[in-house]
Amino acid sequence: MRMLILGRQGAGKGTQAGRLAELAAVPHISTGDMLRAAVREGTPLGQRAKQIMDAGDLVPDEVMVGIVDDRLHEPDAARGWILDGFPRTVGQAEALAEITAATPLDVVLELVVPNDVVIERISIRRTCDGCGTVYSADDAAIADGTCPKCGGTPRQRDDDRPEAVARRLAVYESDTAPLVDHYAGLGLLEAIDGLGTTDEVFDRVLAVIDDRTSRRI
Ligand code: ADP
């Protein structure tokens, strides 16, 4: 399975991609997670990306394409992958088509959630500074201020502050939303209602994938 997930910030891409990747036993490749790991480790990429991310802007295409090209050629990606956060521009989509020319995409999922709902979700999102696990601020599991998985501290991401969120949503509309039409034109797009519980959304995701698989047979 080779697929990507589109959707606004806070639409649930990371959660759904993570669950699906586990079920399909393929890597969940999140460019945002990769960049945040680089920031934590203080690598040259991380130092370059931090300011851009905090402002809610996009890291340049040529940087992102190089990172993803390398990652898709690692051995664990040979059986398939789920991309989350890439491509984010038409230029990145064109580069991805070249990178994957021999093994094209199977499907593109779009998680559809309106702006007012994602703004509310992001305002209560907390991300562990140790392992990157995402929680909701009212989650009892982090009531003591500690991540139960790694002992790190769940915090609000710098780019989840309201000013940066407004900027990221505007960039999504201008740069990333055109990919919906791009992939619809290629017959790859499946729009999925992203409202409801994570289980409800995951059931919809599985139904769509089952349906596409059975149509192909
Ligand atoms: P979100 O989808 O909530 O914006 P991500 O974790 O996917 O969060 O990305 C966080 C930030 O990382 C983005 O705002 C952007 O600065 C940078 N980033 C991630 N993926 C890409 C990409 N494909 N192209 C450019 N910048 C990216």
Side-chain angles (χ1 to χ4, degrees), residues 33-128:
D33 286 351
M34 291 166 82
L35 291 172
R36 278 184 291 278
V39 171
R40 276 200 296 275
E41 288 156 19
T43 66
L45 166 68
Q47 289 173 18
R48 192 172 164 198
K50 166 106 176 100
Q51 273 195 335
I52 300 176
M53 294 169 74
D54 287 353
D57 288 324
L58 294 181
V59 174
D61 280 1
E62 63 276 14
V63 175
M64 296 310 303
V65 168
I67 294 172
V68 171
D69 193 0
D70 289 347
R71 182 66 188 87
L72 293 181
H73 286 96
E74 283 179 29
D76 68 333
R79 281 190 52 239
W81 32 261
I82 301 178
L83 268 177
D84 158 14
F86 185 97
R88 245 181 164 86
T89 63
V90 172
Q92 291 180 12
E94 286 166 353
L96 180 67
E98 278 178 33
I99 294 169
T100 61
T103 50
L105 276 171
D106 296 309
V107 63
V108 174
L109 305 180
E110 183 203 5
L111 284 182
V112 182
V113 179
N115 255 332
D116 54 337
V117 177
V118 297
I119 289 170
E120 167 64 22
R121 285 185 185 177
I122 294 171
S123 72
I124 57 168
R125 175 155 80 180
R126 299 292 178 269
T127 306
C128 176

Side-chain angles (χ1 to χ4, degrees), residues 135-154:
Y135 299 96
S136 170
D138 54 12
D139 188 334
I142 57 162
D144 66 353
T146 309
C147 171
K149 287 195 184 164
C150 78
T153 307

Side-chain angles (χ1 to χ4, degrees), residues 1 3-8 10-13 15-17 20 82 107-114 117-118 121 172 180 184 188-212 215:
M1 168 162 55
M3 62 158 65
L4 31 116
I5 300 207
L6 296 175
R8 291 195 173 99
K13 300 184 296 286
T15 305
Q16 299 300 328
L20 199 53
I82 301 178
V107 63
V108 174
L109 305 180
E110 183 203 5
L111 284 182
V112 182
V113 179
V117 177
V118 297
R121 285 185 185 177
Y172 185 83
V180 170
L188 289 171
L189 191 81
E190 295 283 357
I192 295 170
D193 175 6
L195 292 175
T197 65
T198 54
D199 284 347
E200 285 164 352
V201 177
F202 193 53
D203 285 345
R204 291 179 205 136
V205 168
L206 293 181
V208 159
I209 292 172
D210 270 356
D211 185 47
R212 271 192 96 92
R215 271 187 278 150

